[in-house]
Amino acid sequence: MRLEIEQINCLSDNYGYLVHDPESGETACMDTPETAPILDRLQQKGWQLSYIWNTHHHFDHAGNNLEIKQATGCTIIGPAGEADKIPGIDRAVDQGDSVQLGAHEAQVLNVGGHTLGHIAYYLPATDNAFVGDALFALGCGRVFEGTMGQMWDSLQKLAALPDATQVFCAHEYTAANAAFAATIDPDNQQLKDRIAEIGALRAANQPTVPTQIGLERATNPFLRPADAAIRAHLDMQSASDADVFAEIRARKDTF
Ligand code: ZN
Ligand code: FE
Protein backbone atom coordinates (compact mmCIF):
# COMPACT_ATOMS: atom_id res chain seq x y z
CA MET A 1 0.00 0.00 0.00
CA ARG A 2 1.25 3.42 -0.88
CA LEU A 3 0.30 6.94 0.12
CA GLU A 4 1.54 10.24 -1.22
CA ILE A 5 1.90 13.00 1.37
CA GLU A 6 2.33 16.66 0.50
CA GLN A 7 3.55 19.00 3.25
CA ILE A 8 2.40 22.60 2.80
CA ASN A 9 3.80 25.67 4.55
CA CYS A 10 0.94 27.75 5.95
CA LEU A 11 0.78 30.92 8.06
CA SER A 12 4.02 31.62 9.93
CA ASP A 13 4.85 28.16 11.25
CA ASN A 14 1.97 25.76 10.46
CA TYR A 15 2.13 22.70 8.25
CA GLY A 16 -0.87 21.58 6.24
CA TYR A 17 -0.86 18.12 4.69
CA LEU A 18 -2.54 16.46 1.74
CA VAL A 19 -2.69 12.68 1.94
CA HIS A 20 -3.41 10.98 -1.38
CA ASP A 21 -4.20 7.35 -2.12
CA PRO A 22 -3.16 6.69 -5.72
CA GLU A 23 -5.25 3.48 -5.91
CA SER A 24 -8.63 5.05 -5.20
CA GLY A 25 -7.72 8.63 -6.11
CA GLU A 26 -9.05 9.82 -2.73
CA THR A 27 -7.33 12.73 -0.98
CA ALA A 28 -7.57 13.96 2.61
CA CYS A 29 -6.50 17.37 3.89
CA MET A 30 -5.19 17.33 7.47
CA ASP A 31 -6.62 20.44 9.13
CA THR A 32 -7.17 23.74 7.31
CA PRO A 33 -4.56 26.27 8.43
CA GLU A 34 -4.93 28.33 5.23
CA THR A 35 -7.06 28.14 2.08
CA ALA A 36 -4.99 29.33 -0.89
CA PRO A 37 -1.85 27.22 -0.48
CA ILE A 38 -3.96 24.09 0.05
CA LEU A 39 -6.18 24.69 -3.00
CA ASP A 40 -3.09 25.61 -5.05
CA ARG A 41 -1.36 22.37 -4.14
CA LEU A 42 -4.47 20.33 -4.97
CA GLN A 43 -4.53 21.96 -8.39
CA GLN A 44 -0.80 21.41 -8.98
CA LYS A 45 -1.15 17.74 -8.14
CA GLY A 46 -4.40 17.32 -10.04
CA TRP A 47 -6.07 15.87 -6.97
CA GLN A 48 -9.75 16.19 -5.98
CA LEU A 49 -10.26 16.71 -2.25
CA SER A 50 -12.38 13.97 -0.70
CA TYR A 51 -12.06 14.81 3.01
CA ILE A 52 -10.89 17.25 5.60
CA TRP A 53 -9.67 15.41 8.69
CA ASN A 54 -9.58 17.84 11.62
CA THR A 55 -7.55 17.26 14.77
CA HIS A 56 -8.98 20.04 16.96
CA HIS A 57 -10.97 23.24 16.87
CA HIS A 58 -8.27 25.93 17.00
CA PHE A 59 -8.51 28.53 14.24
CA ASP A 60 -5.21 27.50 12.63
CA HIS A 61 -6.58 23.94 12.28
CA ALA A 62 -10.30 24.28 11.44
CA GLY A 63 -10.61 27.98 10.57
CA ASN A 64 -10.72 27.49 6.80
CA ASN A 65 -12.97 24.42 6.78
CA LEU A 66 -15.96 26.15 5.20
CA GLU A 67 -13.98 27.85 2.43
CA ILE A 68 -12.24 24.63 1.45
CA LYS A 69 -15.46 22.61 1.68
CA GLN A 70 -17.24 25.14 -0.52
CA ALA A 71 -14.42 25.05 -3.07
CA THR A 72 -14.13 21.25 -3.22
CA GLY A 73 -17.35 19.68 -1.96
CA CYS A 74 -15.33 17.54 0.47
CA THR A 75 -16.66 15.75 3.55
CA ILE A 76 -15.42 17.00 6.93
CA ILE A 77 -14.48 14.53 9.66
CA GLY A 78 -13.48 15.84 13.07
CA PRO A 79 -13.29 15.29 16.82
CA ALA A 80 -16.54 14.25 18.53
CA GLY A 81 -15.47 15.90 21.78
CA GLU A 82 -15.53 19.35 20.20
CA ALA A 83 -17.82 18.76 17.20
CA ASP A 84 -19.80 21.89 18.05
CA LYS A 85 -16.67 23.96 17.36
CA ILE A 86 -15.72 22.34 14.02
CA PRO A 87 -17.20 24.36 11.13
CA GLY A 88 -19.04 22.24 8.56
CA ILE A 89 -18.44 18.91 10.32
CA ASP A 90 -20.21 15.95 8.66
CA ARG A 91 -18.94 13.08 10.81
CA ALA A 92 -17.69 13.17 14.40
CA VAL A 93 -15.14 10.53 15.46
CA ASP A 94 -13.24 9.58 18.59
CA GLN A 95 -11.00 6.90 20.12
CA GLY A 96 -11.87 3.48 18.66
CA ASP A 97 -13.34 4.83 15.43
CA SER A 98 -11.61 4.49 12.11
CA VAL A 99 -11.82 6.48 8.91
CA GLN A 100 -10.98 5.32 5.39
CA LEU A 101 -8.96 6.85 2.59
CA GLY A 102 -9.61 4.35 -0.17
CA ALA A 103 -8.40 1.04 1.26
CA HIS A 104 -6.21 2.78 3.86
CA GLU A 105 -7.55 2.75 7.40
CA ALA A 106 -6.76 5.57 9.80
CA GLN A 107 -7.36 4.72 13.44
CA VAL A 108 -8.61 7.61 15.55
CA LEU A 109 -6.80 8.22 18.85
CA ASN A 110 -8.13 10.60 21.50
CA VAL A 111 -5.16 12.72 22.53
CA GLY A 112 -6.98 15.39 24.51
CA GLY A 113 -5.18 17.92 26.69
CA HIS A 114 -4.17 20.76 24.35
CA THR A 115 -7.90 20.90 23.66
CA LEU A 116 -10.38 18.59 25.37
CA GLY A 117 -11.42 16.61 22.29
CA HIS A 118 -8.16 16.63 20.30
CA ILE A 119 -7.73 13.55 18.10
CA ALA A 120 -4.89 12.06 16.05
CA TYR A 121 -5.08 9.89 12.92
CA TYR A 122 -2.86 6.81 12.81
CA LEU A 123 -2.41 4.81 9.59
CA PRO A 124 -0.72 1.56 10.69
CA ALA A 125 -0.26 0.04 7.21
CA THR A 126 1.98 2.91 6.12
CA ASP A 127 3.44 3.87 9.54
CA ASN A 128 2.10 7.42 9.49
CA ALA A 129 0.50 9.46 12.28
CA PHE A 130 -1.02 12.93 12.00
CA VAL A 131 -0.98 14.38 15.48
CA GLY A 132 -1.99 18.05 15.18
CA ASP A 133 -0.83 19.98 18.24
CA ALA A 134 -0.61 17.00 20.63
CA LEU A 135 3.02 16.00 20.00
CA PHE A 136 5.71 18.11 18.33
CA ALA A 137 9.28 17.35 17.35
CA LEU A 138 11.04 17.65 20.75
CA GLY A 139 7.87 19.13 22.26
CA CYS A 140 4.19 18.76 22.98
CA GLY A 141 1.16 21.01 22.82
CA ARG A 142 0.48 23.50 25.57
CA VAL A 143 -2.21 22.17 27.91
CA PHE A 144 -4.96 24.74 27.32
CA GLU A 145 -8.19 22.85 28.07
CA GLY A 146 -7.38 19.51 29.66
CA THR A 147 -5.38 18.50 32.70
CA MET A 148 -1.70 17.62 32.89
CA GLY A 149 -2.73 14.03 33.68
CA GLN A 150 -4.92 13.85 30.58
CA MET A 151 -2.09 15.20 28.43
CA TRP A 152 0.34 12.67 29.85
CA ASP A 153 -2.11 9.84 29.08
CA SER A 154 -2.43 11.16 25.53
CA LEU A 155 1.32 11.36 24.99
CA GLN A 156 1.73 7.80 26.26
CA LYS A 157 -0.67 6.62 23.55
CA LEU A 158 1.46 8.26 20.89
CA ALA A 159 4.72 7.04 22.47
CA ALA A 160 3.35 3.48 22.29
CA LEU A 161 3.14 3.56 18.49
CA PRO A 162 5.89 1.64 16.66
CA ASP A 163 9.30 3.36 16.60
CA ALA A 164 9.23 3.70 12.80
CA THR A 165 5.97 5.66 12.83
CA GLN A 166 6.37 8.92 10.93
CA VAL A 167 4.93 11.77 13.00
CA PHE A 168 3.39 14.67 11.09
CA CYS A 169 2.79 17.50 13.53
CA ALA A 170 1.13 20.79 12.71
CA HIS A 171 3.86 23.31 13.56
CA GLU A 172 7.54 23.96 12.93
CA TYR A 173 8.42 24.64 16.58
CA THR A 174 11.44 22.36 16.70
CA ALA A 175 14.27 24.88 17.12
CA ALA A 176 12.60 26.53 20.12
CA ASN A 177 11.70 23.11 21.54
CA ALA A 178 15.31 22.00 21.14
CA ALA A 179 16.61 24.97 23.16
CA PHE A 180 14.23 24.02 25.96
CA ALA A 181 14.94 20.28 25.76
CA ALA A 182 18.63 20.98 26.31
CA THR A 183 17.80 22.54 29.70
CA ILE A 184 15.91 19.40 30.86
CA ASP A 185 18.12 16.63 29.46
CA PRO A 186 21.55 18.27 29.07
CA ASP A 187 23.67 15.11 29.04
CA ASN A 188 21.68 13.17 26.41
CA GLN A 189 24.14 12.68 23.55
CA GLN A 190 21.46 11.68 21.06
CA LEU A 191 19.61 14.90 21.89
CA LYS A 192 22.79 16.94 21.42
CA ASP A 193 23.37 15.34 18.02
CA ARG A 194 19.79 16.01 17.04
CA ILE A 195 19.97 19.66 18.11
CA ALA A 196 22.99 20.11 15.80
CA GLU A 197 21.04 18.55 12.91
CA ILE A 198 18.03 20.77 13.64
CA GLY A 199 20.23 23.87 13.60
CA ALA A 200 21.64 22.89 10.20
CA LEU A 201 18.18 22.14 8.75
CA ARG A 202 16.69 25.41 9.95
CA ALA A 203 19.71 27.41 8.77
CA ALA A 204 19.02 25.93 5.32
CA ASN A 205 15.30 26.75 5.71
CA GLN A 206 14.43 23.03 5.64
CA PRO A 207 11.61 21.43 7.66
CA THR A 208 12.40 19.29 10.70
CA VAL A 209 9.02 17.58 10.33
CA PRO A 210 8.06 14.75 10.00
CA THR A 211 9.81 13.14 12.92
CA GLN A 212 9.63 9.49 14.12
CA ILE A 213 8.27 7.99 17.32
CA GLY A 214 11.54 6.17 18.10
CA LEU A 215 13.54 9.39 17.80
CA GLU A 216 11.03 11.24 19.99
CA ARG A 217 11.14 8.51 22.63
CA ALA A 218 14.92 8.90 22.76
CA THR A 219 15.14 12.70 22.73
CA ASN A 220 11.83 14.44 23.51
CA PRO A 221 11.82 15.32 27.24
CA PHE A 222 8.01 15.28 27.34
CA LEU A 223 8.07 11.54 26.54
CA ARG A 224 10.90 10.82 29.00
CA PRO A 225 9.70 11.58 32.53
CA ALA A 226 10.77 8.07 33.55
CA ASP A 227 14.39 8.75 32.55
CA ALA A 228 16.77 8.58 35.53
CA ALA A 229 19.02 11.41 34.33
CA ILE A 230 16.09 13.76 33.78
CA ARG A 231 14.67 12.89 37.21
CA ALA A 232 18.02 13.51 38.84
CA HIS A 233 18.39 16.82 37.00
CA LEU A 234 14.93 17.92 38.25
CA ASP A 235 15.53 16.44 41.70
CA MET A 236 12.30 14.42 41.32
CA GLN A 237 13.68 10.89 41.79
CA SER A 238 10.63 9.51 43.57
CA ALA A 239 7.83 11.42 41.80
CA SER A 240 5.31 9.79 39.46
CA ASP A 241 5.88 9.98 35.71
CA ALA A 242 2.78 12.18 35.47
CA ASP A 243 4.20 14.63 38.02
CA VAL A 244 7.57 14.78 36.27
CA PHE A 245 5.77 15.41 32.98
CA ALA A 246 3.72 18.18 34.61
CA GLU A 247 6.90 19.82 35.95
CA ILE A 248 8.55 19.74 32.51
CA ARG A 249 5.41 21.16 30.85
CA ALA A 250 5.17 23.92 33.48
CA ARG A 251 8.82 24.87 32.93
CA LYS A 252 8.27 25.07 29.17
CA ASP A 253 5.29 27.38 29.67
CA THR A 254 7.59 30.01 31.17
CA PHE A 255 10.77 29.23 29.20
ZN1 ZN B 1 -3.85 24.19 18.63
FE1 FE C 1 -1.92 24.97 16.18
Side-chain angles (χ1 to χ4, degrees):
M1 289 182 103
R2 204 164 62 84
L3 277 181
E4 294 175 39
I5 299 173
E6 288 285 311
Q7 186 159 337
I8 304 167
N9 293 317
C10 294
L11 304 173
S12 60
D13 54 31
N14 280 77
Y15 290 122
Y17 299 99
L18 294 174
V19 186
H20 179 72
D21 169 34
E23 289 286 317
S24 65
E26 288 196 333
T27 303
C29 177
M30 291 301 317
D31 285 334
T32 57
E34 219 177 336
T35 300
I38 290 171
L39 294 181
D40 287 352
R41 189 67 64 93
L42 283 165
Q43 191 170 34
Q44 281 168 30
K45 300 298 292 185
W47 295 344
Q48 293 259 341
L49 192 64
S50 317
Y51 307 103
I52 291 166
W53 291 356
N54 284 125
T55 62
H56 67 294
H57 69 82
H58 284 160
F59 185 78
D60 60 317
H61 298 263
N64 295 288
N65 275 14
L66 293 180
E67 271 187 21
I68 291 175
K69 184 177 190 175
Q70 186 161 33
T72 63
C74 69
T75 296
I76 299 180
I77 298 174
E82 49 200 57
D84 57 331
K85 297 176 181 161
I86 303 291
I89 192 167
D90 296 296
R91 182 182 166 206
V93 294
D94 211 334
Q95 180 80 33
D97 291 328
S98 65
V99 301
Q100 292 292 135
L101 186 73
H104 295 259
E105 178 191 67
Q107 299 172 359
V108 177
L109 306 176
N110 183 300
V111 290
H114 175 71
T115 63
L116 278 176
H118 197 306
I119 56 175
Y121 296 86
Y122 171 52
L123 294 98
T126 52
D127 280 330
N128 294 311
F130 295 88
V131 302
D133 289 354
L135 177 65
F136 295 122
L138 291 180
C140 73
R142 200 170 176 128
V143 181
F144 284 122
E145 296 180 5
T147 63
M148 290 289 193
Q150 182 187 9
M151 189 67 172
W152 172 235
D153 289 344
S154 295
L155 291 177
Q156 286 178 277
K157 280 185 203 171
L158 295 173
L161 299 178
D163 279 358
T165 307
Q166 296 273 108
V167 179
F168 295 87
C169 49
H171 290 273
E172 179 61 61
Y173 287 159
T174 317
N177 289 340
F180 173 73
T183 69
I184 299 296
D185 197 8
D187 300 320
N188 181 336
Q189 187 59 48
Q190 200 174 343
L191 174 60
K192 290 183 198 176
D193 294 345
R194 188 176 179 196
I195 289 172
E197 282 169 30
I198 288 161
L201 283 169
R202 296 310 294 152
N205 209 19
Q206 295 294 308
T208 64
V209 175
T211 177
Q212 299 82 36
I213 287 293
L215 182 60
E216 294 306 318
R217 286 174 58 90
T219 55
N220 183 331
F222 296 97
L223 300 186
R224 297 169 55 73
D227 181 73
I230 289 178
R231 287 169 162 260
H233 186 71
L234 298 175
D235 197 16
M236 295 183 77
Q237 284 90 340
S238 56
S240 68
D241 288 352
D243 284 348
V244 176
F245 165 76
E247 173 64 20
I248 297 170
R249 185 59 256 179
R251 287 185 183 215
K252 178 66 165 64
D253 288 348
T254 57
F255 181 69

